[in-house]
Amino acid sequence: MASAPRVRFAPSPTGYLHIGGARTALFNYLYARRQGGAFILRIEDTDQERSTPESVKAILDGLEWLGIDWDEGPGKEGAHGPYFQTQRMDLYRKYTEQLIAEGKAYRCYCTREEIDARRSAVEKQTGKPGTYKYEGTCRNRTDVPEGRTSVVRFRMPDGEGRVTFDDKVLGPITKEYSDLDDWVMVRADGIPLYNFGCVIDDYTMGITLVGRGQEHVNSTFPQLMLYQALGWQPPDFAHFPLILGPDREKLSKRKHPEADVMLHKRNGILPEALLNFVVRLGWSHGNEEVISRQQMVEWFDFDHVGTTSGVWNPDKLMWLNQQWMKLLPAPVVAERLAPFLQARGVELPPGDPRLERVVLAFRERAKTLDEMAATALKYFQHGVEWEEKAATKHLTADSRPLLARVREEVAALPQWTAPTLDEVVKRVSEQAGVGMGKVAQPVRVATTGGTVSPGIGETLELLGREETLHRLDAALARP
RNA sequence: GUCCCCGUCGUCUAGAGGCCCAGGACGCUGGCCUUUCAAGCCGGUAACACGGGUUCGAAUCCCGUCGGGGACACCA
């Protein structure tokens, strides 16, 4: 390695940050960090119809949430900017003219309608799509027809030949010239198309390795032809396996809601977990499953990027999320939990100590922050409603004296802590000569309304003395 | 349809010719722990797509078949 590698993530701002894009960004980011190279963010906004500033923001926000930061790109101007393709038009124009002057590209005056008509004619005749190839109508044209706009086409070399490249994850891949045609580089309005802009930018930005999804392997060939025509040394290429939806088709915005990175944030998934999940889809490091960003950077390599597409597995995402809720420091999780409780109408004074206690009590009982907020909600409210079934079973004439005894002892407690509260339950059950469940369950139902909660001491501590006594009294007052 | 890529448990994967009658993880499931539910711990379930080669020996190499996905725009 002569110089430090430069890699990039080049999304087109036509919607939210896609999960596949996020993983592409992650792999490139990890590679750059691992190798001590640079990670560049370039916005491919040449599709004027679909690109929006909102989408640019959405993508930036998504990357930020995931903690994938770039060395050069929007907001971080470097030596190779600008980083929006629409601001690099001079560059494209320059190389377009050069290529035309050298006879390596030419103007094609066929209109879109004409091409479309010919395409559908061919496809109708042969049966299926994809059979049409530009027939070279304007290849050797020297006249300039009046009143017609033109696109610029790349001139494929005459005769037989093939393009080959050694993909860093897939290995050698070859394509015959005869399978390629004179593709359009520049539209009639002068704006470059993907295959053209991408090559010009990757080269002028000094990109040494292009890492992208496997859906791009076929576009590598025309791009390679361009590098050749320009006399440029192409970068290395690495194509990552696709992420598939439950239906085993490529994860798409249209069909798969889980393709939206930020949806997971809204659902209460931690960025650590999403990153962890996504990195394991197509990459592995022995038997490691729970992997921190630091470890990813330390371990990442293309040798262990797989070749087969991976199916989105929500169960595993959930499991990882819980792992991360348990792994991260409670105050950190508490901070991230707050918005979910607030969204459910809980008012939280700044630095509310209950938040951290909730995390400690519920992170082993919830898969997501949202679920945690939902189950913890009743600990923040005043009063309870009892589940009919639970009340019938546990708030009985038999349990009433036990409950009253607990109420009495607990009210007198000098210290309102889980251990001291647990002791009360234990003492009461021992004195009554019954199992702890005979006391704990009625108390649980009386104070939470249901049969499921954290340890009884923990539960009462969380509720606080005042609320606990209030609920116990209310339960005792039931007819 | 054409071209390109891929093919290990249901899913994510380990596996670079003998360490593999295939290991880990999620899921499912049995048990332990236990004041409930979880979590945790211990155990079980389940795969090298198929057929030919090559080799003393193949999940690993080659060929074919079948299967899956992707690309076939004046989108990226």
Side-chain angles (χ1 to χ4, degrees):
Chain A
M1 279 306 137
S3 54
R6 290 173 60 80
V7 297
R8 47 60 162 193
F9 173 53
S12 66
T14 55
Y16 55 69
L17 178 62
H18 186 276
I19 206 81
R23 197 197 50 180
T24 296
L26 176 63
F27 280 10
N28 278 291
Y29 165 90
L30 293 175
Y31 178 76
R33 291 288 172 270
R34 172 84 177 101
Q35 306 288 327
F39 175 61
I40 292 111
L41 178 62
R42 179 175 77 226
I43 306 296
E44 305 216 329
D45 56 351
T46 52
D47 184 338
Q48 312 262 299
E49 311 261 295
R50 299 192 302 150
S51 297
T52 64
E54 293 75 38
S55 298
V56 172
K57 180 162 192 308
I59 289 167
L60 265 37
D61 287 350
L63 291 172
E64 191 198 343
W65 179 64
L66 289 170
I68 299 174
D69 55 316
W70 51 98
D71 304 304
E72 293 172 34
K76 276 209 176 164
E77 297 310 312
H80 301 266
Y83 297 93
F84 285 80
Q85 289 194 316
T86 47
Q87 292 169 22
R88 301 171 67 83
M89 293 301 293
D90 290 349
L91 221 42
Y92 310 132
R93 220 162 290 144
K94 174 184 160 191
Y95 289 112
T96 302
E97 278 161 26
Q98 179 187 321
L99 255 5
I100 290 176
E102 291 173 351
K104 288 164 178 165
Y106 61 91
R107 293 199 177 278
C108 168
Y109 297 90
C110 300
T111 63
R112 190 175 198 146
E113 291 69 32
E114 287 166 352
I115 296 288
D116 285 348
R118 283 185 244 158
R119 193 195 327 272
S120 52
V122 168
E123 287 174 358
K124 188 171 247 174
Q125 204 178 67
T126 56
K128 291 289 177 209
T131 31
Y132 175 76
K133 278 173 60 183
Y134 180 65
E135 50 282 89
T137 316
C138 300
R139 236 180 172 226
N140 302 307
R141 190 160 193 165
T142 48
D143 63 314
V144 177
E146 254 325 289
R148 279 205 165 199
T149 56
S150 65
V151 300
V152 178
R153 285 186 185 271
F154 179 81
R155 186 190 300 278
M156 277 296 293
D158 295 309
E160 306 225 328
R162 55 185 61 88
V163 225
T164 300
F165 71 100
D166 191 17
D167 193 278
K168 287 294 174 260
V169 346
L170 260 18
I173 308 176
T174 303
K175 188 96 149 182
E176 298 289 329
Y177 283 179
S178 55
D179 289 325
L180 267 18
D181 72 348
D182 288 357
W183 50 281
V184 178
M185 294 172 16
V186 184
R187 295 173 169 89
D189 61 8
I191 295 172
L193 255 7
Y194 170 67
N195 281 144
F196 181 58
C198 178
V199 167
I200 302 301
D201 289 339
D202 283 338
Y203 183 79
T204 56
M205 289 181 170
I207 301 303
T208 58
L209 180 141
V210 171
R212 62 205 345 177
Q214 274 180 15
E215 72 267 29
H216 288 293
V217 334
N218 279 306
S219 63
T220 308
F221 303 106
Q223 291 180 17
L224 247 8
M225 296 308 294
L226 226 202
Y227 279 103
Q228 205 178 93
L230 257 2
W232 292 346
Q233 167 81 31
D236 284 336
F237 292 92
H239 289 96
F240 311 135
L242 266 16
I243 299 176
L244 273 25
D247 57 358
R248 286 168 179 280
E249 284 189 28
K250 188 175 77 157
L251 216 54
S252 80
K253 299 182 183 183
R254 281 295 304 226
K255 297 172 58 185
H256 311 280
E258 61 269 55
D260 182 359
V261 166
M262 291 311 237
L263 170 74
H264 298 102
K265 179 187 183 187
R266 293 192 294 277
N267 284 349
I269 299 294
L270 297 164
E272 287 82 357
L274 190 59
L275 237 31
N276 192 157
F277 174 70
V278 123
V279 85
R280 284 286 291 104
L281 228 41
W283 175 79
S284 61
H285 183 75
N287 286 335
E288 300 292 338
E289 293 291 349
V290 181
I291 308 172
S292 70
R293 176 200 313 270
Q294 198 170 19
Q295 290 170 315
M296 288 178 201
V297 170
E298 201 173 312
W299 295 334
F300 189 80
D301 62 350
F302 288 134
D303 291 347
H304 292 86
V305 171
T307 51
T308 60
S309 307
V311 176
W312 185 264
N313 180 185
D315 284 337
K316 188 144 183 186
L317 208 213
M318 293 299 156
W319 176 77
L320 277 169
N321 199 238
Q322 184 169 41
Q323 295 303 308
W324 278 103
M325 289 200 295
K326 294 198 293 180
L327 235 37
L328 257 17
V332 171
V333 181
E335 198 179 320
R336 298 185 190 174
L337 172 67
F340 290 90
L341 280 166
Q342 284 161 337
R344 288 170 187 276
V346 176
E347 286 201 31
L348 294 168
D352 192 329
R354 291 177 299 174
L355 221 40
E356 209 173 307
R357 273 187 237 138
V358 166
V359 171
L360 261 10
F362 288 100
R363 62 183 177 183
E364 288 175 353
R365 298 177 169 80
K367 300 286 191 196
T368 69
L369 294 173
D370 191 48
E371 188 191 335
M372 192 185 283
T375 54
L377 186 60
K378 58 184 168 188
Y379 294 82
F380 288 90
Q381 293 167 330
H382 184 56
V384 251
E385 279 178 28
W386 297 280
E387 287 168 26
E388 203 42 56
K389 207 176 146 192
T392 314
K393 182 166 180 198
H394 296 285
L395 301 182
T396 59
D398 284 350
S399 72
R400 189 167 297 240
L402 265 14
L403 222 43
R405 181 104 191 103
V406 169
R407 197 266 178 226
E408 195 179 312
E409 292 216 17
V410 119
L413 231 35
Q415 294 272 355
W416 192 267
T417 64
T420 56
L421 288 158
D422 274 327
E423 261 175 61
V424 170
V425 172
K426 193 176 173 195
R427 193 162 55 237
V428 170
S429 60
E430 276 169 1
Q431 283 171 359
V434 298
M436 265 179 65
K438 284 276 184 274
V439 178
Q441 277 308 79
V443 172
R444 193 182 319 272
V445 173
T447 55
T448 70
T451 55
V452 174
S453 89
I456 196 65
E458 230 180 332
T459 298
L460 301 187
E461 183 190 296
L462 204 53
L463 245 21
R465 188 192 300 261
E466 201 183 321
E467 185 63 22
T468 298
L469 295 181
H470 169 75
R471 294 186 184 188
L472 249 17
D473 288 340
L476 253 6
R478 273 169 59 96

